[in-house]
Amino acid sequence: MFEYKVGIEGMMCGMCEAHIADTIRKAVPDAKKVKASRRKNLATFRTEQKLDEAALRKNITDIGYTMTDVEEKTL
């Protein structure tokens, strides 16, 4: 299992956090424990498979946010 921390810029409110979380769930169907924090400019989630970073970046960009970086941790 992998844990990802994804830097996100542009979140301003709780609805922004919800949009990011929904987008992650759509882009990464097996994502678990999906959370987004506007205060930390960060989204976190776990998945069984390696992340397709380019696909996630495209999905996040398409809804108007900026994905800055990705940190991967093997659990």
Side-chain angles (χ1 to χ4, degrees), residues 2-68:
F2 302 94
E3 180 177 75
Y4 291 96
K5 293 182 180 179
V6 181
I8 308 285
E9 289 183 354
M11 292 187 285
M12 304 300 277
C13 65
M15 285 304 295
C16 293
E17 293 171 338
H19 285 132
I20 291 294
D22 288 344
T23 299
I24 291 170
R25 287 186 191 100
K26 288 177 186 173
V28 187
D30 69 334
K32 296 174 178 58
K33 296 189 177 188
V34 180
K35 296 177 187 171
S37 171
R38 67 184 178 269
R39 290 187 188 112
K40 295 179 181 177
N41 292 321
L42 187 70
T44 60
F45 62 95
R46 292 181 178 181
T47 181
E48 293 291 333
Q49 305 200 2
K50 281 214 167 252
L51 176 64
D52 180 349
E53 188 176 332
L56 181 59
R57 186 178 302 275
K58 181 187 180 321
N59 281 285
I60 288 174
T61 301
D62 286 351
I63 62 167
Y65 301 92
T66 303
M67 188 170 122
T68 57

